[in-house]
Every structure is written in structure tokens, then in C-alpha cells.
Amino acid sequence: MKKIVAVIKPFKLDDVREALAKLGISGMTVTDVRGFGRQKGHTELYRGAEYTVDFLPKSRIEIVVSDNQEQLCIDSILRVAHTGKVGDGKIFVSDIKRVIRIRTKEENDEAL
């Protein structure tokens, strides 16, 4: 099993969710986060004073999928979240050793 974490632009969240739903991915965790990478930040003007916004709003999506769904999920996220501009985000993939559904005590693929 794989854990896929995608940090994307917030306005792309619904598109990514819909694309993953078409693949049969029904469970995900979404968090509103702030951060920066190469995009750094930007300056804004507020009441005549210029200030720097260092942390930009992003959406973080976490899903756990079986090994055979990994590449399909990654391809979908890449296709839908891509704008071609700085700050499109990143995808992180890691191995998951074990998953347990608390309610039924099912494990691993059955728990997904």
C-alpha cells in the first residue's frame, strides 16, 4: 500500500477530488495548509503599507491506495492540478506497512 500526499493550489482541490473519485478513490483527508517553496512569497499593499506574505495557502490531500492504484492516482493528480505556473505543488509517495479500520477491525486492502 502507498500513502500519497499532494500539496496543491486550493482552487484545484475540487477537480482533483473528482478525478480521484472517477478512479474509485472514495476516502481522503484534506487539510488547508500554508507554505512556500520556490514560489517563495509575494508582497501586498495594505492601508498604504507594503508587507511580505511568506506563507501561501495550499491544500494538502492524503490518500492511501493499494500498490496497483498508485500510478493511476499520481497521473490523475498531475493532469488535473497542473497549471504550468510556479506553485503548482508537490506529490509525496511513501510505503504504508499496515492499515486497520477501527470499526470492523479489517486490515490492509480490506480496510481501504
Side-chain angles (χ1 to χ4, degrees), residues 8-14 32 57-59:
I8 62 170
K9 291 182 176 183
F11 69 90
K12 289 293 193 172
L13 178 60
D14 286 335
D32 293 326
K58 301 287 181 183
S59 291

Side-chain angles (χ1 to χ4, degrees), residues 21-36:
K22 287 179 183 174
L23 296 177
I25 306 300
S26 58
M28 65 181 66
T29 301
V30 177
T31 312
D32 293 326
V33 296
R34 296 183 308 144
F36 69 91

Side-chain angles (χ1 to χ4, degrees), residues 44-51:
E44 289 187 4
L45 197 60
Y46 179 72
R47 293 187 179 182
E50 191 174 276
Y51 67 100

Side-chain angles (χ1 to χ4, degrees), residues 7-108:
V7 180
I8 62 170
K9 291 182 176 183
F11 69 90
K12 289 293 193 172
L13 178 60
D14 286 335
D15 296 337
V16 170
R17 184 191 53 78
E18 289 172 13
L20 292 174
K22 287 179 183 174
L23 296 177
I25 306 300
S26 58
M28 65 181 66
T29 301
V30 177
T31 312
D32 293 326
V33 296
R34 296 183 308 144
F36 69 91
R38 289 190 181 144
Q39 190 178 11
K40 302 209 167 68
H42 62 277
T43 58
E44 289 187 4
L45 197 60
Y46 179 72
R47 293 187 179 182
E50 191 174 276
Y51 67 100
T52 302
V53 178
D54 290 329
F55 295 100
L56 302 170
K58 301 287 181 183
S59 291
R60 177 185 165 118
I61 302 168
E62 296 179 65
I63 58 175
V64 177
V65 298
S66 59
D67 289 334
N68 61 353
Q69 292 178 305
E70 173 189 0
Q71 195 58 50
L72 288 172
C73 289
I74 292 169
D75 292 343
S76 289
I77 295 167
L78 286 172
R79 179 177 41 80
V80 176
H82 178 263
T83 67
K85 296 191 167 79
V86 174
D88 272 352
K90 296 241 185 334
I91 299 173
F92 305 93
V93 180
S94 55
D95 289 318
I96 295 294
K97 183 177 173 184
R98 190 173 177 197
V99 175
I100 304 166
R101 178 176 288 139
I102 294 172
R103 179 177 54 87
T104 61
K105 297 180 181 62
E106 294 170 303
E107 294 196 28
N108 301 323

